[in-house]
Amino acid sequence: MALIVQKYGGTSVGSVERIKNVARRIAKWQNAGHQVVVVVSAMSGETNRLIGLAKEIQKNPDPRELDVVASTGEQVTIGLLSMALKAIGKKAKSYTGPQVRVLTDSAYTKARIREIDAHRIRNDLEEGNAVIVAGFQGCDEDGNITTLGRGGSDTSAVALAAALKADECLIFTDVDGIYTTDPRVVSDARRMDVVAFEEILEMASLGSKVLQIRSVEFAGKYKVPTRVLSSLTDPDIPVEQEANSGTLITFEEDPKMEKVVVSGIAFSRDEAKITLPHVPDIPGIAYKILGSIAEANIEVDMIVQNAAKNGLTDFSFTVNRNELDKAIAVIEKEVSPYLEEGGILSDASIAKISCVGIGMRSHAGVAAKMFKILAEENINIKMISTSEIRTSIIVDEKYMELAVRALHKAFGLDKAPSSME
Ligand code: ADP
Ligand code: ASP
Ligand code: MG
């Protein structure tokens, strides 16, 4: 008997029919002798709808009240799923995040989990229940409802699996695993049987939305065996078959791991660039600019400073697109005396594309190959940054899909990998 945490995303519980199918799938795992804890998202589109309602009332909704509203989608799903299980003769119990006591910090709309009290869930499991928990939510020490950021149910599931020391965390979703890139954009993207933890960590942080980044961080920290698989298959397929399907995140070299240099391509449209074309080339200027941005709690991604000319230099950096206005306001307020006549330039129609692979550690030339491919497509590169296992570039948003497809093909990701020399 194993203890399994299963997470079902929005599409997987998007209708009553699908919720009934999820119940059948859970019952199948229980009938095979396993204990099952289930984490669910809101029905697809529901969280957007709720946030939309809040914005109709306040342009920038009060964060505490926004969490009160946004967290309700998941509460509907846990109730419906528990009923669906009871309707087929199974014992089930539903809990919201605060009821379990998923304790978080108080950072509304992007709270971090601090602790999970698992004893109640354990008791319910011992009594033969499937335990159904609302993802995406918790409460702070004062009992205020918090949410974990968009896509946060993944994190709820992996964190619960860690707290319960579950044997495996299964992330059921609307694709049958983790692909070399988003299959919605590149039709010949390929599913991987296994993916290295570091690779999926990079891909998630670089904008691939298949898993929320914090869920991957939890999986790494607590070594939670985590698998991404489809919820849209026949719910009655044998448990053994399902248990081996999808993509497993591995923490060590795995013989099944593909021996390739680039394993995947991530991309993100959530970027915006700020350029200060004329700032004085003096000690402390980067600190003046980026220090004030950091103080405003705005995350900066890429940074480029060019060689100085006549005592002036230009300075560019990227921020999340929805924080662009806030970042410009901070610069105007804090850095204005240093801007000379150049002022502030900004560009909100850029995208970031990243090639990721642990094979890049031992193989040079990936960046050069990327630049060649983009040159052949006549796509201009605006910024570049690299780490040990990735190379990221910024391009005009309108070229993003073209660039991703060209890179995916040129790195041979559409074909089953041969062995690396
Ligand atoms: P859920 O509601 O189940 O959490 P999401 O929409 O959050 O589902 O995540 C699944 C989606 O992630 C897929 O439909 C797919 O379009 C997208 N995606 C992006 N990058 C990848 C990738 N590399 N592999 C698989 N899916 C990806
Ligand atoms: N319902 C939340 C969202 O749409 C959380 C999730 O689905 O993971 O972001
Ligand atoms: Mg998701």
Side-chain angles (χ1 to χ4, degrees), residues 7-12 41-42 44 151 153-154 171-185 190 192 200 203 207-212 228 231 265-267:
K7 179 254 170 178
Y8 293 89
T11 317
S12 312
S41 293
S44 56
S153 297
D154 297 329
I171 307 283
F172 285 91
T173 185
D174 58 0
V175 269
D176 61 352
I178 299 175
Y179 278 66
T180 46
T181 193
D182 189 341
R184 277 189 221 177
V185 169
R190 233 173 12 86
M192 297 179 268
I200 187 63
M203 284 175 77
S208 164
K209 300 223 159 71
V210 63
L211 287 174
Q212 198 199 36
V228 175
S231 71
I265 299 178
F267 50 83

Side-chain angles (χ1 to χ4, degrees), residues 227-342:
R227 184 181 285 279
V228 175
L229 67 171
S230 174
S231 71
L232 304 179
T233 54
D234 173 1
D236 299 321
I237 59 169
V239 162
E240 310 74 55
Q241 186 186 332
E242 188 153 86
N244 287 304
S245 66
T247 304
L248 180 69
I249 299 174
T250 61
F251 301 103
E252 280 152 28
E253 276 281 322
D254 186 299
K256 274 200 267 164
M257 203 130 78
E258 299 176 353
K259 299 274 188 281
V260 292
V261 180
V262 172
S263 307
I265 299 178
F267 50 83
S268 159
R269 289 187 175 88
D270 304 337
E271 310 279 320
K273 182 170 86 155
I274 294 181
T275 300
L276 310 178
H278 289 128
V279 289
D281 186 33
I282 51 171
I285 189 70
Y287 173 64
K288 182 80 203 153
I289 300 165
L290 296 179
S292 54
I293 293 285
E295 217 141 276
N297 219 351
I298 299 171
E299 243 177 79
V300 168
D301 182 15
M302 288 193 201
I303 305 165
V304 175
Q305 187 181 351
N306 279 327
K309 213 171 141 192
N310 304 328
L312 293 176
T313 185
D314 69 62
F315 196 93
S316 297
F317 58 95
T318 59
V319 296
N320 194 296
R321 200 176 285 181
N322 58 30
E323 295 199 300
L324 176 63
D325 292 344
K326 193 171 153 197
I328 291 176
V330 169
I331 301 281
E332 274 169 352
K333 182 154 177 269
E334 306 289 337
V335 193
S336 276
Y338 298 90
L339 295 181
E340 310 280 330
E341 76 277 12

